[in-house]
Amino acid sequence: MKHRVVGCLAVLLVIAVPVVGHALERTRAPAVEREPDDRWALGCTATISYYNLCAGWIWSWSGWAPEEEIGVAFNTSFCTDVYAIDTSFHYAIEGAPAGYGYTGTLEVRYSSPLDCPQGSTIAAQPFLPASGWNTVFWGISPPWGAQAYSLVWRNADVLSSPVRWGTDGPASAACYPSGGRVRSARFGTPSAPLCPGDPFPGSGGAAELLWGITGPLAEWVNPVVAAPEGVARERWSRVKAMYR
């Protein structure tokens, strides 16, 4: 399900959230104008994401500690047709230049019942975010087990990373259902892990990173509408994922 929202003027708001002795910065930013390009999702694919862009603006986060980890816990138990990861997508308000030691790591890891990354790494690759939507190619079929895993970004061992990650902007609005399960969090560092993780605090509830995954379909299940040939069909799994 796509959302098109109108940007707003940026208003600076800085808060301090305790994590490994470092201050996190939160800034209000214009809304995302569009979601990732559909050319990366040709054919029979499904998308799982937990963010909601209905507020019309987003939060921008920066001030990462060296080797700090953030991520999203995905659960495919309600969406059994996603049996592999083709790509993941990640929205950065600001990326980082090459050649300055800012390259971090992106990992697919198992998740604990508390939605924390745990155990061995399923797949990993160096990752230097660029501004805007970043599409990362995986092409893996993890041993799902309990069908719960985490997508985790680890900052480089630097204090001054310019990377600013985007989250949605939960607010007291009808389009934001309350009481949903929070999927995005900060998990400390490898030497000082946090479990459960610290959520990203919004003005109307915890915020979700603008991240998601795509994967091939094992089968079509419960289409919302029967679409003509050549027209994409939204599925109940995608709708439920929006509302956590």
Side-chain angles (χ1 to χ4, degrees):
M1 183 175 291
K2 302 294 184 183
H3 302 269
R4 297 195 179 275
V5 288
V6 180
C8 60
L9 294 178
V11 178
L12 180 64
L13 175 62
V14 179
I15 63 171
V17 179
V19 59
V20 292
H22 193 66
L24 182 70
E25 295 183 358
R26 183 186 75 180
T27 305
R28 193 167 176 175
V32 180
E33 293 185 359
R34 64 180 180 88
E35 294 194 67
D37 198 318
D38 286 338
R39 70 176 180 271
W40 303 120
L42 296 176
C44 293
T45 62
T47 299
I48 300 177
S49 60
Y50 300 107
Y51 59 83
N52 189 337
L53 299 178
C54 70
W57 50 270
I58 60 176
W59 289 119
S60 173
W61 302 84
S62 62
W64 313 108
E67 296 193 300
E68 181 172 356
E69 296 182 337
I70 66 172
V72 178
F74 290 91
N75 190 307
T76 63
S77 61
F78 70 88
C79 187
T80 56
D81 51 333
V82 181
Y83 62 90
I85 303 176
D86 276 347
T87 66
S88 60
F89 51 90
H90 315 257
Y91 188 79
I93 305 293
E94 183 178 346
Y100 292 89
Y102 296 135
T103 300
T105 305
L106 195 63
E107 297 182 344
V108 178
R109 298 171 60 184
Y110 293 104
S111 283
S112 74
L114 294 177
D115 290 337
C116 304
Q118 68 172 7
S120 60
T121 297
I122 299 171
Q125 54 183 293
F127 186 44
L128 183 67
S131 300
W133 287 109
N134 293 258
T135 300
V136 179
F137 294 87
W138 295 98
I140 59 175
S141 298
W144 294 118
Q147 296 181 306
Y149 64 96
S150 294
L151 196 58
V152 179
W153 171 74
R154 183 185 307 118
N155 184 27
D157 190 11
V158 294
L159 181 62
S160 57
S161 173
V163 176
R164 304 182 69 90
W165 287 113
T167 68
D168 59 11
S172 299
C175 64
Y176 262 94
S178 61
R181 183 173 180 176
V182 179
R183 297 288 185 171
S184 303
R186 304 164 64 207
F187 299 111
T189 67
S191 60
L194 293 175
C195 188
D198 283 341
F200 295 89
S203 56
E208 299 284 4
L209 287 162
L210 304 185
W211 293 11
I213 63 165
T214 67
L217 296 175
E219 58 183 345
W220 285 99
V221 182
N222 298 327
V224 176
V225 293
E229 185 68 26
V231 177
R233 293 181 290 180
E234 282 295 343
R235 302 176 60 261
W236 279 117
S237 60
R238 181 66 178 87
V239 175
K240 288 189 292 185
M242 279 186 55
Y243 294 96
R244 306 184 183 106

